[in-house]
Amino acid sequence: MEACAAQVPRELEVSPSGSSTRYDLQLIDLMKDDHRTLFYIYSDLVRATERDDYATVRRLLANFKFALQAHLRVENMRSYAQLLQPLHAPDAGTLALIAELRREVDGVARAAVAFATTYAGIDEYTPEKKADFSARLASIGDVVIRQVSLEVSRPYTLYQPG
């Protein structure tokens, strides 16, 4: 009887690029460096908000959005793609976990990018907009911190040589 790996759900399929994704010994460290960068930018956003420096807030929001999108591209193209390589032969439970994590990451990313786009585009921060921004900044921070904790504890532990 021939063993077969679980079928990769459509939302997890990686488009063929002509070459396989190879295990990168340094990838997880690079991803963690990205997390630190995101946390630094977030901390700077909080400090700029406390100083009422919304010109800096706008600049930092653009930096945050760029850093987050770059991190997600690398994560999707290298770590998730490598996890789904045939050498790993992921079982149905692992595939379901990866699918769930990717959906969570996508949701957090959409919310964080929409937040950064919205508030970077505000020319004048009225007292109401400042209050709304501060509340949403705290909320985005909580969500991003929770998501990074999940990434480090779940999918990053799956990333191993094939």
Side-chain angles (χ1 to χ4, degrees):
M1 182 172 199
E2 186 176 312
C4 73
Q7 189 168 16
V8 177
R10 182 172 212 99
E11 69 264 21
L12 292 179
E13 287 179 0
V14 178
S15 59
S17 63
S19 66
S20 64
T21 303
R22 297 190 198 288
Y23 178 78
D24 181 346
L25 191 60
Q26 298 169 336
L27 181 61
I28 299 302
D29 288 336
L30 292 171
M31 302 302 283
K32 289 179 180 179
D33 285 345
D34 287 352
H35 295 159
R36 279 188 284 281
T37 298
L38 289 165
F39 291 148
Y40 289 138
I41 295 169
Y42 178 81
S43 296
D44 289 346
L45 274 165
V46 170
R47 284 191 291 279
T49 302
E50 290 168 349
R51 288 190 317 268
D52 217 27
D53 182 358
Y54 286 89
T56 299
V57 164
R58 282 190 291 277
R59 181 182 52 78
L60 289 169
L61 284 169
N63 293 347
F64 183 80
K65 178 180 169 182
F66 177 80
L68 179 62
Q69 289 175 321
H71 171 76
L72 293 171
R73 276 189 211 103
V74 170
E75 187 172 71
N76 277 318
M77 293 174 65
R78 294 184 58 199
S79 66
Y80 288 130
Q82 207 273 336
L83 286 174
L84 297 169
Q85 289 291 315
L87 290 175
H88 278 85
D91 60 38
T94 301
L95 287 172
L97 173 64
I98 294 169
E100 175 187 342
L101 291 169
R102 285 182 99 172
R103 279 190 299 275
E104 288 176 16
V105 167
D106 288 346
V108 168
R110 275 192 297 278
V113 167
F115 165 78
T117 301
T118 297
Y119 287 97
I122 294 176
D123 291 327
E124 183 182 338
Y125 278 80
T126 64
E128 295 80 21
K129 286 180 183 174
K130 289 177 183 179
D132 184 56
F133 173 79
S134 293
R136 299 242 358 246
L137 179 62
S139 176
I140 288 292
D142 290 344
V143 170
V144 169
I145 289 168
R146 182 183 62 79
Q147 189 63 42
V148 166
S149 297
L150 289 174
E151 285 179 19
V152 171
S153 69
R154 289 165 49 191
Y156 288 4
T157 62
L158 298 173
Y159 185 77
Q160 302 290 325

